[in-house]
Amino acid sequence: MIESVRTSTVRHSPIRPTPTRKATAGIAVLATVLSACGLFGPDQPDTVSQQFADALNSDDVQAAAALTTDPAAATAAITAMYDGLGNKDGTYTRTDVQESGDDGGTFTMDVSWPFAPGQEWKYSTTGNATKDGDDWKIVWDPAVLAPGLTDDTTVRYTTTTGTPPKVLAAGGAPILEQQVVTLVNLDQGADTAAVASLLSPIAPTITAASLQQDLAGAQGKPVTAISLRAEDLAPIEPQLRQLAGVTLAPQTRLLSTDKALASPTLAGLGDLWQQGQDASAGWAVQLVGQDGSAKSVAGEQGPDAPDIATTLDLPMQMAAERALADVPQQAAIVALRPSTGEVLAVAQNAPADALGPIALTGLYPPGSTFKTVTTSAALQAGAATPDTVLPCPGTENIEGRQIPNDDEFDLGAVPLHTAFARSCNTTMGRLAVGLPPDALQKAALQFGLGVDYVTPGLTTVTGNVPIADSPAARVESGIGQGQVTASPFGMAMVAASIADGSTPAPMIVQGQPGAADKTAPAVPANVTADLRTMMRETVTGGTATALQDIPGLLGKTGTAESGSGPAHGWFVGIKDDLAFAVFIATGDSSAPAVQAAGRFLR
């Protein structure tokens, strides 16, 4: 089935009660003792009314129906009642019997139907009994089962909800709300060519042949060709309704208000929305007519679920999506507000969508963007200062690993800040070798990389920086290769930590920050200040000069080997109270990521 939207949706269906074991019905003491020819004569110790109640309590539909004057109608009504209420847990207690001549009488029953904790339908019914030859029968009337029940109505249990909440962007505009979508269903024999001509302008992959193939594989059953938003359905609805074998089935779903909005954050926010709906659920027992009309006879309305106020900046989100739309490879952008940890934008393109939420949980080698961590570790260890002059040869064999710079550029001996801005692999590899095995792991944790966060509405993985036990492993880790991995979200957290001087708790629902599974000591303020200066130099005179027209931008480029294919490209940036990461898989260099960052910011 094809959706007319590129976004996650949440279906909401009434929750059926979980069947529970029926309590044993109590047998009431008779209120009135009738004569030998009445309902309670000594020759009939179990009266027909008690037998009827006992059969219902035993869930014996056939036995209960057989005690009535119309077993067929009684069987259908009792069965429909059990089906509509979703369980057979009703308890019928016969409470009173009155004689009405020698061949009739009336009785009452107290009834209780439990559905869920705090949900119980209690009522009383009245029935008539009559003598049929030598036997007594219940005069069949559906109302003996439940008040108001007739031959033309059924009874059902349903959950209820109040006004559906909305999911709001930071500015208060709705980004997710419950909407009506319409399924276009095709029966066997439908005119697939006519249907395809109407649907292909909305979904170009739909053709007469594709629809025919779907029908052929359905083994005679109907198929759903597409689900359409209201604005997509309206222009073609009259034509679709005229086609034989085509039916339109409306449903309610949680959808983005703009179908161009397709952030991977919407799935988690949709889950929160559903939790709110579930928590606000009420219940009702309804009498349902043959025309589908329903009248509530019992129940309680739940409280309205509150709207969900998010931190997403809608203009920034759409800018991020536009920046990636034409990138042929999988691509992602994550933007945060360093001072608060607010998630401002999470975007990825259609090729990335096919792999899942890679912006939040996809793990890749971070390449040279990890030099922010390596440099922080070296500065904290006292191995160098920003002005320490270090060699930057075009290639160098370090602990058996031949490390080249990009195109083997050779700077000779330069200050660390220049080696950082120009992204010297050889300099960083040599620095990393001299660090303790756990130095890079500890430095990464100080920036949130390798920390797991439990954040309401947001599922994330930051990355993994294992202890580098060997010098060769430290060389690889120092340039963001080997066993080091990071997600775009994780590298955005690194940028945010450098920008703010401490690692913020990520947050996508206002007032509900995430909780970290571990904490690390803060990076010294002078170290993060030095890193910010070096990242500014990267833009003004290093590997990101293509962005030097953007005032105040700080950044770090990254190219990461990805195995046998082209390298991945990265860019992490800081501008005022904005930190972000751009990732483009198999981009072959950092240039596509830098270009996407420019489109995003400009």
Side-chain angles (χ1 to χ4, degrees):
M1 180 184 71
I2 296 176
E3 298 269 4
S4 68
V5 292
R6 200 188 119 229
T7 182
S8 59
T9 61
V10 177
R11 297 177 185 268
H12 179 66
S13 302
I15 302 172
R16 303 302 299 172
T18 303
T20 57
R21 181 171 295 177
K22 179 186 294 187
T24 303
I27 308 246
V29 178
L30 300 182
T32 304
V33 179
L34 304 182
S35 65
C37 59
L39 291 172
F40 288 97
D43 58 341
Q44 191 180 350
D46 292 326
T47 68
V48 67
S49 58
Q50 186 63 59
Q51 290 172 345
F52 185 64
D54 290 344
L56 292 174
N57 290 327
S58 299
D59 307 328
D60 192 337
V61 176
Q62 297 303 320
L67 292 169
T68 72
T69 56
D70 192 342
T75 297
I78 297 170
T79 301
M81 177 181 66
Y82 286 158
D83 292 344
L85 296 180
N87 66 49
K88 299 179 179 180
D89 297 333
T91 299
Y92 285 78
T93 304
R94 205 257 341 273
T95 57
D96 188 34
V97 178
Q98 296 291 334
E99 183 180 7
S100 178
D102 293 340
D103 55 0
T106 62
F107 61 93
T108 59
M109 292 188 294
D110 288 342
V111 186
S112 173
W113 283 92
F115 300 108
Q119 298 181 4
E120 186 175 16
W121 182 28
K122 292 184 176 182
Y123 59 89
S124 295
T125 66
T126 300
N128 296 305
T130 186
K131 194 171 184 180
D132 183 12
D134 293 332
D135 298 322
W136 284 89
K137 298 286 187 182
I138 302 296
V139 178
W140 175 243
D141 180 351
V144 75
L145 300 176
L149 197 60
T150 68
D151 292 330
D152 297 325
T153 59
T154 57
V155 65
R156 73 180 174 199
Y157 167 90
T158 185
T159 55
T160 63
T161 56
T163 303
K166 297 177 181 179
V167 180
L168 307 174
I175 53 176
L176 287 175
E177 61 186 2
Q178 194 172 70
Q179 302 177 41
V180 175
V181 298
T182 300
L183 307 186
V184 179
N185 296 325
L186 308 185
D187 295 328
Q188 299 292 327
D191 187 343
T192 55
V195 174
S197 68
L198 294 171
L199 298 182
S200 58
I202 302 169
T205 58
I206 292 181
T207 64
S210 70
L211 293 175
Q212 197 60 51
Q213 184 177 5
D214 291 343
L215 286 167
Q219 300 179 339
K221 297 179 180 179
V223 299
T224 298
I226 192 172
S227 62
L228 295 174
R229 289 173 177 253
E231 63 266 28
D232 291 327
L233 174 66
I236 60 175
E237 182 176 5
Q239 298 95 309
L240 285 172
R241 290 193 180 279
Q242 292 174 2
L243 295 177
V246 176
T247 57
L248 303 180
Q251 292 183 348
T252 56
R253 294 185 188 173
L254 183 67
L255 295 177
S256 60
T257 53
D258 182 349
K259 69 178 179 180
L261 178 63
S263 171
T265 61
L266 300 185
L269 293 172
D271 290 342
L272 273 187
W273 181 93
Q274 188 63 58
Q275 292 171 21
Q277 282 289 82
D278 293 346
S280 69
W283 65 283
V285 177
Q286 300 171 330
L287 286 176
V288 184
Q290 292 180 337
D291 60 356
S293 61
K295 174 186 176 183
S296 292
V297 295
E300 184 177 1
Q301 187 66 39
D304 285 341
D307 291 338
I308 299 172
T310 78
T311 61
L312 289 174
D313 183 304
L314 195 52
M316 189 178 296
Q317 174 67 39
M318 300 310 294
E321 295 196 18
R322 288 192 298 269
L324 302 178
D326 295 330
V327 177
Q329 305 95 337
Q330 297 95 21
I333 293 176
V334 177
L336 309 174
R337 178 169 285 127
S339 61
T340 62
E342 293 172 76
V343 177
L344 302 176
V346 179
Q348 56 185 49
N349 60 2
D353 287 343
L355 298 181
I358 68 166
L360 299 172
T361 60
L363 294 178
Y364 305 90
S368 293
T369 59
F370 191 74
K371 291 173 184 175
T372 52
V373 175
T374 303
T375 302
S376 176
L379 293 175
Q380 292 184 69
T385 70
D387 295 323
T388 300
V389 176
L390 300 168
C392 176
T395 183
E396 184 177 5
N397 188 297
I398 307 175
E399 299 296 334
R401 169 76 161 89
Q402 194 68 31
I403 301 296
N405 291 331
D406 188 27
D407 293 330
E408 297 191 6
F409 70 83
D410 189 333
L411 298 183
V414 295
L416 173 59
H417 63 82
T418 301
F420 179 96
R422 296 286 297 275
S423 203
C424 289
N425 290 335
T426 51
T427 305
M428 292 296 167
R430 180 61 66 185
L431 275 176
V433 167
L435 296 173
D438 62 351
L440 293 177
Q441 183 187 70
K442 288 181 176 179
L445 290 174
Q446 288 177 301
F447 292 150
L449 192 62
V451 177
D452 286 332
Y453 294 94
V454 177
T455 308
L458 195 68
T459 299
T460 59
V461 178
T462 58
N464 182 45
V465 182
I467 292 175
D469 289 322
S470 69
R474 289 194 288 282
V475 172
E476 295 282 354
S477 295
I479 58 174
Q481 298 281 175
Q483 299 301 309
V484 173
T485 58
S487 67
F489 173 81
M491 290 312 300
M493 287 291 292
V494 171
S497 302
I498 295 171
D500 189 61
S502 62
T503 302
M507 174 172 59
I508 195 169
V509 177
Q510 293 182 17
Q512 299 185 37
D517 70 334
K518 58 180 73 72
T519 58
V523 178
N526 65 301
V527 172
T528 53
D530 288 341
L531 286 173
R532 290 193 292 270
T533 300
M534 293 187 217
M535 292 176 72
R536 178 60 182 157
E537 184 180 345
T538 300
V539 175
T540 59
T543 55
T545 54
L547 302 175
Q548 62 184 324
D549 63 302
I550 300 174
L553 178 65
L554 321 179
K556 183 69 190 81
T557 58
T559 303
E561 296 178 3
S562 59
S564 59
H568 299 317
W570 289 86
F571 181 77
V572 297
I574 299 168
K575 188 179 188 307
D576 301 324
D577 200 14
L578 170 68
F580 63 95
V582 182
F583 170 76
I584 296 183
T586 65
D588 203 29
S589 75
S590 62
V594 170
Q595 293 164 4
R599 292 193 295 272
F600 170 56
L601 294 174
R602 296 188 183 105

